[in-house]
Amino acid sequence: LERFNPQNVLILSGDHIYKMHYGKMLKAHKESGAAVTIAVMPVPWEEASRFGIMSTNPETGEITEFAEKPAEPKSNLASMGIYIFSYDALKKYLTDDERDPNSDNDFGKNIIPKMLGNNEKMMSYRFEGYWKDVGTVCSLWEANMDLIDSPPKFSLNDRSWIIYSRNHAFTPHYVGNNAKISNSTVTEGSFIDGEINHSVIFGAVDVGEGSKITDSVVMPGAKIGKNCVIEKAVIGEGAKIGDNVRIGVEENPQSKYISKYCSGGIVLIEGGAEIKDSENIVKNSMIEA
């Protein structure tokens, strides 16, 4: 970085979904003269323990307290994992942190608390708009469902702000004679001969005749057999589902597949997993590959 003589450094998290004009945040950072500016937004109180939580001066926005994933949060103002550091401050604290053998080398656990303890000027930047941290099964499922709400909470079809992604150049998706698709997205390369309701279907997915998929996310290359019923599930990349399989339709808290990672009735079938014919996978289950 020194070769480019930067004054400020923008650091982003890779598992968040949002649209932000970073130039506006950078302008606020420069005007404040802060060592770091952290993008923040309120989250539901019941989810606050999942995030780094800020307390701020209500008049200036200066950060006064920070707690990483607190069990009893004092605030619901969450760090979005978007930081703008002055280069000199970032270099100093990263260098010091690397020398500390007891450090986790983590911004939330180490760098931010150390800066706050040294009375560095730290500013919050309030973001208003859609933002989703997809670090859990539930939040990943929710983010995909947000795409197909009416109207969508987060639009991929905004011509004024196009989101570019890698193009796999599959053949066009095929909708068979027996297919029914409503309020869903179906990506190229898929072969659909079943019923798709309020679901997100990624590329090169096969859905067999008589199968019905509702409120679900099906990742690339998954193969779903005939006469299956799938509700509120995340089907991983390359998973293979046999014929007459039921997923997420019933509850059974005694099932050996119940997982602490899945809640809210969601089922997770990991990428590459294989489900045999006529299996019944109940709600809140996880099937590993």
Side-chain angles (χ1 to χ4, degrees):
L1 282 174
E2 289 177 336
R3 185 160 63 95
F4 299 100
N5 191 30
Q7 293 181 324
N8 300 286
V9 180
L10 171 66
I11 296 177
L12 309 173
S13 296
D15 59 351
H16 299 165
I17 299 173
Y18 61 97
K19 295 177 182 178
M20 177 187 283
H21 193 316
Y22 301 121
K24 295 179 181 179
M25 182 177 173
L26 178 60
K27 183 175 183 290
H29 172 73
K30 289 179 176 179
E31 290 175 349
S32 71
V36 62
T37 299
I38 303 175
V40 298
M41 70 180 300
V43 297
W45 277 96
E46 61 270 20
E47 296 184 21
S49 294
R50 288 180 49 213
F51 302 96
I53 295 297
M54 311 280 179
S55 295
T56 63
N57 182 314
E59 294 182 2
T60 65
E62 191 164 353
I63 296 168
T64 57
E65 289 186 75
F66 176 82
E68 178 69 3
K69 299 180 179 179
E72 297 182 2
K74 296 181 180 180
S75 160
N76 69 334
L77 196 62
S79 166
M80 296 173 64
I82 301 170
Y83 311 98
I84 297 180
F85 286 88
S86 75
Y87 173 71
D88 291 338
L90 180 63
K91 180 181 178 182
K92 175 185 181 301
Y93 281 94
L94 286 181
T95 301
D96 291 347
D97 187 72
E98 184 62 24
R99 292 179 181 143
D100 182 358
N102 298 314
S103 175
D104 292 311
N105 303 127
D106 184 87
F107 280 107
K109 292 180 181 179
N110 307 111
I111 302 295
I112 302 304
K114 188 68 176 289
M115 294 180 73
L116 196 59
N118 288 343
N119 295 315
E120 297 281 4
K121 186 172 184 180
M122 304 171 66
M123 297 297 295
S124 63
Y125 177 81
R126 288 230 180 193
F127 176 70
E128 296 181 1
Y130 182 91
W131 175 76
K132 181 74 75 173
D133 178 343
V134 290
T136 67
V137 175
C138 285
S139 60
L140 174 66
W141 176 84
E142 288 171 356
N144 278 275
M145 295 300 100
D146 288 344
L147 297 176
I148 50 178
D149 273 354
S150 298
K153 293 185 178 71
F154 184 79
S155 177
L156 296 177
N157 298 312
D158 183 354
R159 298 290 180 90
S160 67
W161 196 317
I162 297 173
I163 296 177
Y164 295 94
S165 62
R166 183 170 56 183
N167 188 344
H168 294 279
F170 293 128
T171 57
H173 65 267
Y174 177 81
V175 179
N177 291 331
N178 303 297
K180 295 181 181 179
I181 301 174
S182 62
N183 198 25
S184 301
T185 64
V186 179
T187 308
E188 61 187 8
S190 293
F191 184 100
I192 308 298
D193 206 26
E195 186 173 340
I196 312 293
N197 299 313
H198 196 255
S199 295
V200 176
I201 309 298
F202 281 72
V205 168
D206 289 354
V207 177
E209 180 182 350
S211 289
K212 184 176 181 179
I213 300 175
T214 304
D215 296 333
S216 295
V217 183
V218 184
M219 296 293 185
K223 309 299 179 188
I224 297 168
K226 298 179 179 180
N227 301 311
C228 297
V229 180
I230 299 175
E231 298 180 1
K232 210 171 181 181
V234 177
I235 309 297
E237 182 173 359
K240 295 180 179 179
I241 313 297
D243 297 336
N244 303 299
V245 172
R246 294 168 64 83
I247 297 176
V249 181
E250 300 165 10
E251 294 188 31
N252 180 3
Q254 306 305 317
S255 170
K256 64 179 179 179
Y257 297 122
I258 296 296
S259 169
K260 63 179 181 180
Y261 300 109
C262 300
S263 60
I266 297 168
V267 177
L268 171 63
I269 309 296
E270 285 193 344
E274 296 189 19
I275 309 298
K276 296 179 180 179
D277 292 352
S278 304
E279 285 274 9
N280 183 15
I281 311 300
V282 298
K283 298 178 180 180
N284 301 321
S285 293
M286 182 174 76
I287 307 297
E288 300 182 49

